[in-house]
Amino acid sequence: MADRVYPSAKPNPQPPQANNNGGGGGGPPSFPPSKGQTYGSTRQGYRPQPRKLPPPPRRRRGCCCSCCLWLTLIIVAFVFLAAIAAGVFYVIYRPRRPTFEVDGLRLSAFNVSGADQLTSRLELNLTAFNPNRNIVYLYDAASISVFSGGVDVGDGSFPAFIQEAKNATLLAAALSAPGGQTLDSTAVSDLKKKTRLPLEIDVDTKVGVKMGGWKTKKMGIQVRCEGIDVGVPKGKAAPAASSPSAACTVKLRVKIWKWTIP
């Protein structure tokens, strides 16, 4: 049997290439790299720079909140200081309202004419007492009105006065029915039938406070005395007033613009 010849597994080596200087044939001549290829081998790729954003605008809300916070703190501080000052003032002076008491009331004349006109004459003694030790009261002139069942039976006044601490001041006044007052038939009938009149006394004035060398602005007060009963005079004798349950209250009247708050 004839022997077979197999080709070699190793590839044939390529023929050597000729030099650039010429020579025999072979592969094509090599050329120098292009300019773009030369620069591209050393230059880095383009990277876009990050865009700078403008700074964010300041928030007005934060400024308003800061102002509101400081304003609230200032108001709280003032209220706190005012409370401390009021506490110190109360501890030092211990202010108390003045008190009033009816000492005497005499109805010396009382007559209802046929023309529904009222004629009256009253004598009133009122005592004002200052219960404070370090406070002086400064009173303006006071107006007095006496009513019976809604009918004005006497008007008068007290002069202005200064009341020292722990002092009792007796105030005397003569009152008479206002002229020109016309009564209705029902009021005339009731007044003619009564032998005793229930009375209400209203005193309106202004008072200021003096503490050492400091004086306050005068404020309005109203004194009302109720539960007083007086007999209607018959002839020349005038019975004295009886007041078994008389009580005088003092109310502060604060005027704010056009309104008066009792």
Side-chain angles (χ1 to χ4, degrees), residues 189-209:
S189 176
D190 291 341
L191 291 175
K192 287 182 177 180
K193 293 178 180 179
K194 290 183 178 180
T195 57
R196 301 192 68 84
L197 296 178
L199 300 179
E200 299 175 354
I201 302 174
D202 287 340
V203 180
D204 290 314
T205 184
K206 288 184 176 182
V207 61
V209 174

Side-chain angles (χ1 to χ4, degrees), residues 104-128:
L105 178 62
R106 183 170 177 267
L107 182 61
S108 57
F110 187 83
N111 181 42
V112 180
S113 63
D116 298 337
Q117 296 290 329
L118 175 63
T119 303
S120 65
R121 187 168 60 253
L122 298 92
E123 297 174 3
L124 174 65
N125 291 331
L126 192 68
T127 299

